[in-house]
Amino acid sequence: MAFNNIYKGKKVLITGNTGFKGSWLSAWLLGLGADVYGYSLSVPTSPSMYETTGLGRKVRQHFGDIRNRDEFNSFVQEVRPDFLIHLAAQALVLTSYKEPFGTISTNVVGTAVVCEAVRNITWDCTCILITSDKAYDNVEWIWGYRETDRLGGKDVYSGSKGAAELVIKAYWYSFIKDMKNIKLGIARAGNVIGGGDWAADRIIVDCVKSFSEGRTVEIRSPRATRPWQHVLEPLSGYLTLAWHLAEGRSGNGEAYNFGPRAEQTKTVFELVQDLAQMWGLDRENAAKLTGDVPFHEATLLKLNCDKALAYLHWHSTLHYEECVRFIADWYKAFYIEKDSDLYALTMRQIAEYVEKAQKQELEWAL
């Protein structure tokens, strides 16, 4: 009965649904009884979670460019969704250095296209627009960033996320705020890890590929500290925010941070060693330093999630060790056990996650 059963029988349109987060979100919503529609440019990787879990047979899929205003608007008008969740983005820092213009056009113009489509909605619809923790102007202080802190970015990726936030703000105050049929929320999260991610230049992906082939992992920034969180953590936040908005229990047009427990802040090197141990390998010899840092990447960035706790009664569920175990179990099923039903495994992990949230008496899970 998670999320007060609000998604059962409802149409949910997800942009970027073929990606890592989008695939997990699609699976969860299908389990909640939703009718899931997807809008994505393509399947971004091979292998991919979208394909290995067979989501293409379960989701009503449309392949299109999020920058195409007319095509996306037509799709929204055709589907008439009850919920619209915008995840479509160029989400990799390294790619932003190789393709700066494509990153900006996808993340900024794509967001504007979604806002344009929202303007044309004439039925009741709850919209969640996802940006990133990188939207904040990172001054590398030790405190978590709050929703009221300055947005911006010194690199293309961060700048594109900060700019997307400004686009949302402009559309909200110029048009959407006065639309009685629209409920809108902004969500910021980052450093999401979990089974089913095969994006390039991602530490977990590098680890599991190396472990499965008997190679040592090469890492470029071993001391970089990240507040790691399993993909289900922010997704539970997005779904909680949409539920509260739809029922009029949350302020309209506001932003929320979704991040992990303070204990989850670990170095890249610690994460690699812990994952190796879960894989059954020698943690001391699991990784080596390449010394090759091809671009500037912030060493510290974490979020203050007090607002989500106060207004949505949300906080993260998994402890760090549980997060690492979830990841190891998923990838071992793919690489070692050759499990042919990864959708069933994904649903079991979602069920275990919900059960842990219930034991913690989190409102959304009861």
Side-chain angles (χ1 to χ4, degrees):
M1 191 73 173
F3 310 106
N4 201 29
N5 217 24
I6 197 168
Y7 297 107
K8 186 174 183 180
K10 299 292 178 58
K11 295 180 180 179
V12 183
L13 193 164
I14 305 171
T15 71
N17 69 295
T18 57
F20 166 53
K21 285 174 75 174
S23 293
W24 274 95
L25 181 58
S26 298
W28 197 345
L29 283 164
L30 287 166
L32 292 170
D35 193 3
V36 180
Y37 293 76
Y39 186 98
S40 292
L41 182 62
S42 61
V43 179
T45 61
S46 183
S48 70
M49 184 171 177
Y50 179 79
E51 292 182 328
T52 56
T53 56
L55 282 168
R57 298 188 298 273
K58 301 175 176 68
V59 171
R60 299 169 190 255
Q61 183 66 44
H62 179 94
F63 287 106
D65 194 325
I66 195 61
R67 295 168 292 191
N68 189 323
R69 182 177 64 174
D70 293 339
E71 184 176 3
F72 182 68
N73 184 70
S74 295
F75 187 62
V76 172
Q77 291 293 319
E78 176 188 334
V79 174
R80 295 176 64 87
D82 301 291
F83 294 89
L84 192 164
I85 303 177
H86 175 48
L87 280 168
Q90 195 299 96
L92 302 174
V93 175
L94 181 56
T95 300
S96 73
Y97 278 87
K98 296 176 180 177
E99 302 172 16
F101 183 79
T103 298
I104 291 170
S105 64
T106 299
N107 295 350
V108 182
V109 176
T111 298
V113 165
V114 173
C115 290
E116 278 284 301
V118 172
R119 282 183 65 197
N120 296 324
I121 291 176
T122 56
W123 58 92
D124 289 343
C125 185
T126 300
C127 307
I128 305 297
L129 307 186
I130 316 300
T131 60
S132 170
D133 61 351
K134 305 296 190 300
Y136 291 106
D137 185 13
N138 186 4
V139 294
E140 304 208 15
W141 58 26
I142 61 173
W143 301 281
Y145 289 86
R146 296 172 301 175
E147 289 82 354
T148 52
D149 282 327
R150 187 172 64 190
L151 302 172
K154 300 177 182 68
D155 62 275
V156 169
Y157 180 74
S158 300
S160 74
K161 290 300 186 178
E165 289 272 359
L166 293 178
V167 167
I168 296 167
K169 182 178 180 179
Y171 269 88
W172 168 254
Y173 283 103
S174 298
F175 310 109
I176 302 171
K177 182 180 179 181
D178 296 324
M179 297 176 66
K180 303 302 182 186
N181 60 313
I182 299 296
K183 304 288 181 60
L184 184 141
I186 301 106
R188 302 165 186 159
N191 297 300
V192 174
I193 53 180
D197 185 7
W198 276 284
D201 302 299
R202 301 264 284 173
I203 187 61
I204 295 295
V205 183
D206 293 343
C207 283
V208 296
K209 284 184 177 179
S210 297
F211 295 165
S212 66
E213 296 169 4
R215 295 185 289 107
T216 301
V217 183
E218 296 184 354
I219 54 178
R220 64 175 182 264
S221 303
R223 290 179 297 279
T225 303
R226 298 285 182 269
W228 310 102
Q229 63 178 328
H230 191 273
V231 62
L232 290 174
E233 302 281 30
L235 295 187
S236 69
Y238 305 163
L239 293 171
T240 299
L241 176 56
W243 162 39
H244 276 240
L245 279 167
E247 293 191 348
R249 301 174 58 195
S250 174
N252 204 359
E254 296 189 16
Y256 287 85
N257 290 335
F258 298 102
R261 303 165 184 265
E263 64 169 63
Q264 314 266 112
T265 301
K266 304 284 185 179
T267 66
V268 169
F269 193 55
E270 287 174 312
L271 176 64
V272 171
Q273 286 189 313
D274 293 337
L275 186 59
Q277 187 170 336
M278 288 281 186
W279 202 272
L281 302 175
D282 176 12
R283 62 181 288 124
E284 300 304 323
N285 297 309
K288 64 181 179 181
L289 177 63
T290 65
D292 177 21
V293 185
F295 56 90
H296 173 76
E297 192 170 14
T299 55
L300 179 64
L301 176 62
K302 62 180 179 180
L303 300 177
N304 179 312
C305 301
D306 290 348
K307 183 179 179 180
L309 177 61
Y311 293 104
L312 305 177
H313 314 294
W314 179 94
H315 62 69
S316 61
T317 297
L318 298 178
H319 291 283
Y320 172 73
E321 292 76 16
E322 294 171 325
C323 171
V324 177
R325 176 177 62 80
F326 268 43
I327 296 167
D329 288 350
W330 204 101
Y331 282 114
K332 282 196 290 187
F334 179 83
Y335 283 108
I336 298 175
E337 299 156 16
K338 309 296 182 183
D339 191 337
S340 61
D341 197 348
L342 290 167
Y343 182 79
L345 171 61
T346 298
M347 299 311 290
R348 286 196 300 273
Q349 289 199 338
I350 291 172
E352 183 179 347
Y353 177 79
V354 173
E355 184 180 346
K356 290 180 182 297
Q358 289 171 341
K359 289 180 179 177
Q360 296 175 41
E361 298 186 346
L362 285 171
E363 184 185 26
W364 66 262
L366 300 177

